[in-house]
Amino acid sequence: MRSGSRSATRKLTVLALAALMLGTNPGFAHSSRHKVEAIVAAYLRSHPDEVGQIVLDYVARHPESLRNLLLALARRKSGAAQAAGAGGAAAKKLARDRAGVIAANSDALFRSPHETVLGDPSGDLTLVEFFDYNCGFCKRAVGDMRALLESDKKLRVALKEFPVLGPRSVDLAKVAIAVRMQNPSGGKYQAFYENILAARQPIGVDEALSVAQGLGLDRARLERDMASDEVRATLEESAKLAAALHVGGTPTYVIGDKVLVGAVGLDNLRFAIASERARKKP
């Protein structure tokens, strides 16, 4: 072994022994143990060549260690595959359960008087989106929705305000529902929806109301409607549907009897829509 490697080995040994002593000796403070562990980690990061040489020297002197490592990796891979298999079974059960919930709540999901409709109101397929105006992934996905609406003239979109990110999100959802109440056709609502989701900074109620007012809506009426029974019923319905579908995050889409969780991307949405249309054909 080269002298540089021997020196590095000695340094690593001292650091490792110190970390071990701190980790096993209850008399040492918890914060001190983390300090030593941080020093060891920093040394490993800053001396990759020395550490690499130490590993090569060790494997050369103990070739059985490489075989043991490969066996350990094989066991880990096997365990991961078993876990994935179990997870696959759980995922299939969840999909079946969700399909049952969708069938039992079809009217509330696809034809609710409380939802906002974009696209063709009489479209041949309804895409449902649960979303939160403060959700970063929803902000990323708003372009996908715009592209779908522009390219698919037979698509009907049902938007469900699902404010899961705290009071600010709830307030924005109330403004949005008030916008829908004042603009049932959805044209101004779509502009509001895209404007708020396009914002890179947090939006407050006053700013959201200003956006709606800029679209030609009556601000005083919006403020009154925010406290209405309709707003309350809309939010309660979305929350109940999301709970029944085991939806905890946004965006979440419902297409046919399937649920797509997350910002899955335009291509995946188009594929799911095409698949559902093909499934519905006689």
Side-chain angles (χ1 to χ4, degrees):
M1 184 187 296
R2 296 179 300 180
S3 60
S5 294
R6 285 195 296 270
S7 175
T9 301
R10 284 195 295 272
K11 291 177 183 177
L12 279 174
T13 302
V14 171
L15 290 170
L17 287 174
L20 179 62
M21 179 177 67
L22 289 172
T24 58
N25 188 339
F28 283 89
H30 183 73
S31 60
S32 296
R33 181 172 68 250
H34 281 290
K35 288 179 181 177
V36 173
E37 289 173 349
I39 292 171
V40 174
Y43 183 88
L44 293 175
R45 285 195 303 269
S46 60
H47 297 77
D49 293 336
E50 292 181 4
V51 174
Q53 187 60 49
I54 291 168
V55 172
L56 290 175
D57 290 343
Y58 182 85
V59 171
R61 287 183 287 113
H62 301 279
E64 73 282 359
S65 63
L66 184 59
R67 181 181 65 87
N68 293 337
L69 175 61
L70 292 174
L71 288 173
L73 289 173
R75 284 194 296 269
R76 182 177 299 179
K77 184 176 181 180
S78 176
Q82 291 176 1
K92 289 179 181 178
K93 181 181 184 304
L94 178 59
R96 289 195 300 271
D97 291 345
R98 281 172 165 168
V101 170
I102 291 169
N105 295 273
S106 179
D107 287 343
L109 269 169
F110 300 111
R111 298 285 171 179
S112 170
H114 303 301
E115 68 195 13
T116 301
V117 176
L118 303 182
D120 182 357
S122 303
D124 65 344
L125 182 69
T126 297
L127 165 66
V128 176
E129 181 191 16
F130 289 85
F131 71 100
D132 183 315
Y133 277 110
N134 280 318
C135 167
F137 294 102
C138 297
K139 291 177 179 294
R140 185 184 307 171
V142 68
D144 298 336
M145 185 63 73
R146 185 188 306 112
L148 283 175
L149 289 168
E150 289 175 352
S151 63
D152 190 337
K153 299 305 181 182
K154 294 183 179 180
L155 183 65
R156 180 179 183 274
V157 174
L159 295 177
K160 309 284 188 183
E161 282 89 359
F162 184 44
V164 293
L165 296 177
R168 187 189 295 270
S169 293
V170 174
D171 288 341
L172 290 178
K174 289 179 178 179
V175 177
I177 298 166
V179 169
R180 184 257 296 167
M181 292 170 65
Q182 202 171 141
N183 177 234
S185 64
K188 292 181 180 179
Y189 182 98
Q190 182 175 351
F192 175 86
Y193 164 86
E194 292 184 356
N195 268 278
I196 301 300
L197 284 174
R200 290 294 172 255
Q201 301 298 323
I203 296 292
V205 172
D206 287 342
E207 292 168 285
L209 287 168
S210 294
V211 169
Q213 187 176 9
L215 294 170
L217 299 173
D218 183 333
R219 181 170 181 144
R221 179 182 166 187
L222 290 170
E223 292 175 343
R224 289 195 303 271
D225 286 343
M226 285 174 65
S228 67
D229 290 340
E230 173 61 21
V231 168
R232 188 160 44 253
T234 300
L235 293 177
E236 287 177 358
E237 181 181 76
S238 292
K240 288 178 180 177
L241 288 170
L245 289 168
H246 301 286
V247 170
T250 53
T252 292
Y253 305 93
V254 179
I255 303 175
D257 63 353
K258 294 179 175 58
V259 175
L260 281 67
V261 179
V264 297
L266 180 59
D267 289 343
N268 285 324
L269 288 172
R270 281 177 169 157
F271 178 80
I273 290 168
S275 298
E276 180 59 20
R277 281 184 171 135
R279 189 180 73 87
K280 288 175 63 177
K281 283 184 178 179

